[in-house]
Amino acid sequence: KDNKKTMMIGGEHLVTYPVLKAVHEKYPDLHVIHLDAHTDLREEFLGRTLSHATFMYHAHKFLGDNHIFQFGIRSGHKTEFEWATKHIYQRKFDFEGLDKVVEQLKDKPVYITIDLDVLDPGVFPGTGTPEPGGMQFKDLLWAFDQFEKLNNIVGADIVELAPHLDPSGASTQAAVKALREMVL
């Protein structure tokens, strides 16, 4: 209500769902840029409707078609990929086209959600669901450069750091740097 921008850090990606819902109430034309290794488009996961694997599917119910833009996706169920072709923009394996999506959304309200498992496990092993074949940190820095061109970022989050899974501390340092870049 006070026109403040939300910047959230969290564990499991499900924490994004209630924030998206609240931000959408203020910005009905909200668009979401979602960087992740996983689609998060299941209807249910392990018998639960809301989880880290389902939250984006359920967010689509209030966001609507053509309001979700996913990049870096390299894991999901066949039904999720099929559903995505009809309802959202999805780029598998990399961030190619992010610059064009940013240009398209330049003046629209945008929420950015970053699951740090979008990074390759060799760069970021400290996450609960690592997926080989991910981005390098310099790719994420390039994405932040693109985000600077957006005129109306209304909120963002960075999630899925599990520091206990990386005793070296490298994942924590990457997460802190990503948070710093997102805030700046």
Side-chain angles (χ1 to χ4, degrees), residues 101-169:
V101 167
V102 164
E103 184 61 34
Q104 175 186 339
L105 301 179
K106 192 172 189 174
D107 295 314
K108 297 184 183 302
V110 175
Y111 187 96
I112 299 167
T113 181
I114 301 171
D115 183 330
L116 290 165
D117 69 18
V118 75
L119 295 169
D120 189 80
V123 174
F124 195 89
T127 187
T129 52
E131 285 291 336
M135 306 303 108
Q136 299 298 306
F137 196 81
K138 66 180 178 144
D139 300 318
L140 188 56
L141 291 176
W142 178 83
F144 288 129
D145 287 343
Q146 302 314 302
F147 298 155
E148 280 189 56
K149 300 170 187 170
L150 292 165
N151 294 324
N152 198 13
I153 297 174
V154 296
D157 64 56
I158 295 177
V159 300
E160 294 285 353
L161 168 65
H164 65 285
L165 297 176
D166 181 7
S168 77

Side-chain angles (χ1 to χ4, degrees), residues 18-79:
V19 177
L20 277 178
K21 199 166 195 171
V23 173
H24 180 260
E25 287 175 18
K26 178 150 179 79
Y27 301 98
D29 190 32
L30 184 66
H31 292 74
V32 177
I33 295 176
H34 176 203
L35 308 183
D36 201 325
H38 306 92
T39 59
D40 298 340
L41 294 171
R42 295 178 186 218
E43 274 190 73
E44 69 162 30
F45 184 65
L46 300 176
R48 297 168 74 194
T49 303
L50 285 177
S51 79
H52 69 280
T54 68
F55 86 94
M56 196 54 78
Y57 173 82
H58 292 287
H60 172 270
K61 291 177 183 177
F62 55 84
L63 292 168
D65 283 351
N66 306 311
H67 281 75
I68 299 170
F69 299 82
Q70 295 185 327
F71 292 88
I73 304 298
R74 52 194 188 278
S75 180
H77 191 273
K78 179 181 177 183
T79 58

Side-chain angles (χ1 to χ4, degrees), residues 78-89:
K78 179 181 177 183
T79 58
E80 293 175 273
F81 290 114
E82 290 169 350
W83 183 89
T85 61
K86 298 176 186 121
H87 302 284
I88 67 170
Y89 176 92

